[in-house]
Amino acid sequence: MEKSKIVNIIIISDSVGDTAFNLMKAAAAQYPDAEVNYRRYPFITTMEKLEKVFDELDSCEHMLIGYTLVNSDLQLATIKFAREHGAKPVDIFSSVVDDIHAMTGLEPSGQIGASHQLTKNYFDRISAMEFAVMYDDGKDPKGILEADVVLLGVSRTSKTPLSLFLANKNLKVANLPLVPQTHIPDEIYQIDPKKIIGLTNDPQVLNEIRVARLKSYGLDPETSYSNMDAINKELASAQALFTKLGCYVVNVAHRSIEETAALILRHLGIEDEM
């Protein structure tokens, strides 16, 4: 019997659920041919809340249930539900907690969300995320003066997802699209060039991305937006600006967001500890 390529990954957590989600996502990335769907249930701290989750998942198939639950009753209920529904339960951190107990003899605190306490670092991260959204896509040039990092690039060079990824590292990021014949804000010349990151791409890769984007919207893929001559001119114009500014340039072709972010953090001399 041929196995299904569908995997419904369920994240159940008594906190935000980032730990389980990131681990599951990293594992799923090893299977590019699988059809992976995610459902995330954060702040499940009572049996009543957990039962509502179970009701919602009752008819769901092909489940892989990852959970980070401190309460043992919630853990057991989740394992029982998974077994009754032919799902695989994955306890994200209990084995590590048990190993530390065995090594030290200390008892775990049992504190929910212990790794997500409302510290200054936490609030700084939330503030950085809000900043990235506020100053996305050149909405307000004033953000350039306040930003820790300013991303410049033509359309489809991953400016927005990269902004949000870096914001999750507590960096205030503004990004500005480089559109032909568009005025470059004066603010860009008033900041330290080291803060400016130029994003570029290979012409052929950019063409393929833009054609696919137009098709996904049901539009004619043969436009000036996807035309190779126009793309080459855009990239040349962007490179001329990068040279004028003396900024660091990253080619995002064939690079993941994580890889591009790592290059930027290294350029800024920032250790990635998160």
Side-chain angles (χ1 to χ4, degrees):
M1 181 178 176
E2 185 178 352
K3 292 187 176 182
S4 171
K5 292 184 178 180
I6 299 173
V7 181
N8 292 311
I9 294 182
I10 313 301
I11 309 298
I12 302 176
S13 177
D14 50 23
S15 186
V16 180
D18 283 345
T19 302
F21 178 73
N22 289 333
L23 179 60
M24 291 294 208
K25 190 175 180 181
Q30 299 297 314
Y31 299 91
D33 294 331
E35 181 184 329
V36 182
N37 306 301
Y38 296 91
R39 292 196 195 181
R40 192 165 169 175
Y41 298 93
F43 306 113
I44 305 302
T45 54
T46 66
M47 191 61 72
E48 182 181 4
K49 290 181 180 179
L50 187 59
E51 290 292 347
K52 289 181 180 179
V53 172
F54 293 161
D55 288 342
E56 189 172 324
L57 297 174
D58 191 56
S59 59
C60 187
E61 299 179 332
H62 312 298
M63 287 188 291
L64 185 62
I65 303 177
Y67 59 93
T68 50
L69 299 166
V70 170
N71 185 289
S72 58
D73 290 337
L74 300 183
Q75 291 179 21
L76 291 172
T78 300
I79 294 169
K80 181 174 181 290
F81 173 85
R83 288 175 177 169
E84 289 174 349
H85 289 74
K88 171 68 176 175
V90 181
D91 190 338
I92 302 299
F93 65 64
S94 282
S95 61
V96 179
V97 171
D98 292 342
D99 288 342
I100 294 174
H101 167 69
M103 291 178 68
T104 65
L106 299 173
E107 293 296 328
S109 68
Q111 180 181 353
I112 292 172
S115 64
H116 290 277
Q117 295 183 41
L118 301 185
T119 60
K120 181 179 183 299
N121 185 62
Y122 173 84
F123 286 111
D124 285 346
R125 189 181 310 175
I126 297 301
S127 177
M129 296 292 285
E130 292 174 346
F131 186 95
V133 172
M134 184 179 300
Y135 297 111
D136 179 48
D137 211 28
K139 291 173 184 173
D140 185 351
K142 292 179 182 177
I144 292 172
L145 300 176
E146 301 175 27
D148 298 315
V149 185
V150 178
L151 305 179
L152 305 181
V154 301
S155 176
R156 314 319 299 167
T157 48
S158 304
K159 295 184 296 297
T160 296
L162 189 55
S163 294
L164 294 173
F165 187 92
L166 291 171
N168 201 42
K169 307 294 182 183
N170 287 14
L171 291 174
K172 293 187 294 183
V173 186
N175 76 69
L176 181 70
L178 299 180
V179 181
Q181 283 102 36
T182 296
H183 172 70
I184 302 299
D186 294 336
E187 286 85 352
I188 205 70
Y189 300 103
Q190 299 172 20
I191 62 174
D192 183 350
K194 186 175 181 179
K195 292 183 177 182
I196 304 172
I197 307 297
L199 301 176
T200 189
N201 207 329
D202 291 347
Q204 188 60 47
V205 173
L206 196 54
N207 167 262
E208 292 171 2
I209 293 172
R210 291 184 176 185
V211 166
R213 183 171 176 79
L214 290 169
K215 286 181 178 179
S216 71
Y217 284 109
L219 302 174
D220 180 5
E222 301 298 328
T223 68
S224 59
Y225 179 68
S226 58
N227 178 271
M228 283 297 293
D229 288 339
I231 286 174
N232 281 318
K233 288 179 181 178
E234 276 188 65
L235 291 173
S237 177
Q239 184 57 54
L241 176 63
F242 300 155
T243 301
K244 181 179 180 180
L245 293 170
C247 67
Y248 181 62
V249 179
V250 180
N251 188 327
V252 301
H254 310 300
R255 281 197 173 101
S256 67
I257 297 298
E258 292 83 356
E259 289 170 326
T260 302
L263 291 173
I264 292 172
L265 292 171
R266 192 181 309 156
H267 164 72
L268 297 172
I270 297 173
E271 292 291 331
D272 186 5
E273 298 177 348
M274 301 167 66

